[in-house]
Amino acid sequence: MEIPFHKPYITDEEITGVVNAIRSGWLTMGPRTIEFENRFAGYVESEHAVSMNSCTACLHLALRAIGLREGDEVIVPAMTFTATSEVISYFNARPVFADVETGTSNIDLNRLERHFTEKTKAIIPVHFGGQPCDMDEILDMARAHGAHVIEDAAHALPAWYRYRKVGSLGDITCFSFYATKTLCTGEGGMAVTDNGQWAEAMRVLRLHGISRDAWKRYAKNGTWRYEVIAAGCKYNMTDVQAALGLAQLAKLEWMWQARREIADRYDEAFGGMEELITPFVKPDRQSAWHLYSLKLNLETLQIGRDRFIDELSKRGIGASVHFIPLYRHPYYRNKYGCGLHEYPASEWVFGRIISLPIYPGMMEEEVSGVIEVVTHLARKFKR
Ligand SMILES: *Cc1c(COP(=O)(O)O)cnc(C)c1O
């Protein structure tokens, strides 16, 4: 049995939508992109949604919107993808890594306060695997220090925190529509905010800094006149991507239910095994279940995480690791000289985590297959 780590869930609706977009003759940003933004804003209960060609682009322009400057500091969790942090480097500002909780892999409130300084301009919490961070406390702490909260919600669509949707919580929230994410357009992202000025700034900056609605200049009633008001970027989404996004958005909650059922099956199967530690979700929130991040109880096993993944792979099961902590990568290590001992929880988590396949369209037999193999390996290599 071959079970890939991920397969996007694409059906006739996406294909028809994309074909119609191409047939319309309008291939770049246009009416479908605007409709996708409007529907998306409505879905996550935010005032404004600004689409871009990636979540990384959204994070970059969110930081430009809040006015990040050279020499500023931005707090990010150590346990994240480099995108969360690299955008800070674009400004010659400094990413400050915070340790995470061992249970959720989210930023640890108890170790957060110490990282705020006079220079802290923002914090970028990452909703690891789709589980929202402790947003009320993070927002309070950030406000007390005059810092903004930009959420990296690349995993968290849809997700709920105290009955509110992720997208309606922080100052600016950035989603990813990368091929493996819970809503995919191949590449793509969306920044949402209730702040009209920030939304407007991001809209202008995503398309060369050209004054608003410049994309309309090729439409029938458009005009050739435009004004450049900033040094912007080429970050806009296209109508072909938006067509995929619209079809995916229509079945977002169904896809979420499908992932949740798989998570429940894994929890049930692995919950009672002492060799394995199932993901911990706090009671006042709902995860998007972008990832099912299982941990190995190394003290009861003869093999480590790397070998466990090799054994899974030998048996046809795709697995992955989210994430290699940022301070372990040469770029950050060389630039900021951060040591492993500063992040005991991230190190603990990193040595144990395995992301298992979890996606709508995974067959019943495939879920059972993963359970069977993981259980078998845990028993076989029991200490
Ligand atoms: C995927 C991912 C991103 C980047 O998303 P792109 O759309 O590929 O730019 C950012 N942060 C995290 C945590 C991610 O997993």
Side-chain angles (χ1 to χ4, degrees):
M1 185 158 29
E2 282 291 327
I3 306 171
F5 175 64
H6 183 76
K7 261 190 285 189
Y9 192 72
I10 301 292
T11 59
D12 283 346
E13 291 121 55
E14 281 82 354
I15 293 165
T16 309
V18 167
V19 169
N20 288 342
I22 296 170
R23 287 223 167 96
S24 79
W26 194 286
L27 296 181
T28 184
M29 179 163 59
R32 283 176 173 80
T33 310
I34 303 307
E35 186 187 347
F36 182 40
E37 289 179 342
N38 291 338
R39 289 202 186 201
F40 194 91
Y43 180 75
V44 299
E45 296 159 11
S46 184
E47 284 289 317
H48 310 277
V50 183
S51 61
M52 293 184 219
N53 57 12
S54 73
C55 179
T56 310
C58 293
L59 290 164
H60 176 201
L61 295 192
L63 292 176
R64 268 188 82 168
I66 63 156
L68 189 70
R69 298 241 171 107
E70 181 166 352
D72 289 341
E73 294 177 359
V74 180
I75 302 170
V76 300
M79 217 5 135
T80 185
F81 185 54
T82 186
T84 319
S85 179
E86 74 188 2
V87 291
I88 300 160
S89 310
Y90 296 173
F91 297 81
N92 289 321
R94 185 189 177 97
V96 175
F97 303 146
D99 210 359
V100 298
E101 300 174 330
T102 54
T104 64
S105 296
N106 278 340
I107 221 161
D108 185 348
L109 287 180
N110 297 317
R111 301 180 222 226
L112 185 53
E113 183 80 47
R114 71 181 75 160
H115 294 297
F116 283 93
T117 72
E118 308 271 79
K119 294 185 190 159
T120 309
K121 184 85 182 194
I123 170 168
I124 310 182
V126 176
H127 305 305
F128 181 90
Q131 171 170 198
C133 296
D134 298 320
M135 287 306 292
D136 284 342
E137 292 85 351
I138 289 172
L139 282 161
D140 284 348
M141 215 184 277
R143 300 271 184 271
H145 291 277
H148 294 297
V149 179
I150 313 283
E151 292 161 74
D152 180 337
H155 300 178
L157 181 71
W160 290 261
Y161 170 79
R162 300 186 173 162
Y163 302 104
R164 286 172 287 157
K165 281 215 185 84
V166 167
S168 65
L169 305 168
D171 291 324
I172 303 177
T173 306
C174 302
F175 295 93
S176 173
F177 309 138
Y178 180 66
T180 60
K181 300 287 161 69
T182 57
L183 181 158
C184 79
T185 64
E187 300 283 357
M190 192 80 83
V192 306
T193 179
D194 286 342
N195 183 311
Q197 268 177 327
W198 290 340
E200 187 59 24
M202 291 190 288
R203 275 201 186 100
V204 167
L205 291 171
R206 75 167 161 191
L207 194 62
H208 304 298
I210 296 175
S211 54
R212 207 180 156 171
D213 292 345
W215 59 271
K216 284 185 189 154
R217 71 189 192 275
Y218 298 112
K220 225 190 216 155
N221 51 0
T223 153
W224 54 268
R225 253 179 218 292
Y226 62 87
E227 282 186 305
V228 174
I229 56 176
C233 299
K234 186 67 201 293
Y235 278 172
N236 63 283
M237 181 174 271
T238 72
D239 264 23
V240 179
Q241 291 166 303
L244 266 172
L246 281 164
Q248 291 260 292
L249 187 60
K251 56 188 174 209
L252 188 68
E253 292 214 0
W254 175 84
M255 293 195 290
W256 171 65
Q257 292 286 357
R259 286 191 306 275
R260 213 163 69 132
E261 280 165 29
I262 298 168
D264 286 346
R265 296 243 353 243
Y266 285 161
D267 276 350
E268 202 177 308
F270 307 140
M273 298 182 61
E274 71 161 341
E275 301 85 6
L276 304 172
I277 305 165
T278 53
F280 168 64
V281 182
K282 297 187 180 179
D284 58 354
R285 56 204 80 178
Q286 290 275 3
S287 175
W289 291 112
H290 164 57
L291 299 176
Y292 187 90
S293 184
L294 188 69
K295 294 190 197 84
L296 300 179
N297 184 2
L298 294 180
E299 289 67 29
T300 65
L301 288 165
Q302 301 165 36
I303 60 170
R305 189 272 316 286
D306 292 6
R307 174 83 190 277
F308 205 100
I309 289 186
D310 289 344
E311 296 290 334
L312 284 172
S313 157
K314 267 193 231 162
R315 290 163 179 82
I317 294 176
S320 193
V321 171
H322 297 88
F323 291 93
I324 301 166
L326 293 179
Y327 54 80
R328 279 182 164 257
H329 291 289
Y331 171 73
Y332 295 109
R333 210 175 49 221
N334 296 339
K335 191 153 182 194
Y336 302 109
C338 24
L340 307 185
H341 60 278
E342 293 174 61
Y343 307 96
S346 298
E347 280 299 292
W348 188 91
V349 169
F350 176 61
R352 287 162 175 78
I353 34 168
I354 299 176
S355 299
L356 294 179
I358 181 166
Y359 41 91
M362 228 181 134
M363 307 286 193
E364 176 67 32
E365 315 82 83
E366 293 178 316
V367 180
S368 307
V370 172
I371 291 174
E372 212 168 285
V373 172
V374 170
T375 310
H376 166 75
L377 290 176
R379 301 249 152 84
K380 177 171 175 186
F381 293 105
K382 192 179 172 71
R383 198 176 271 188

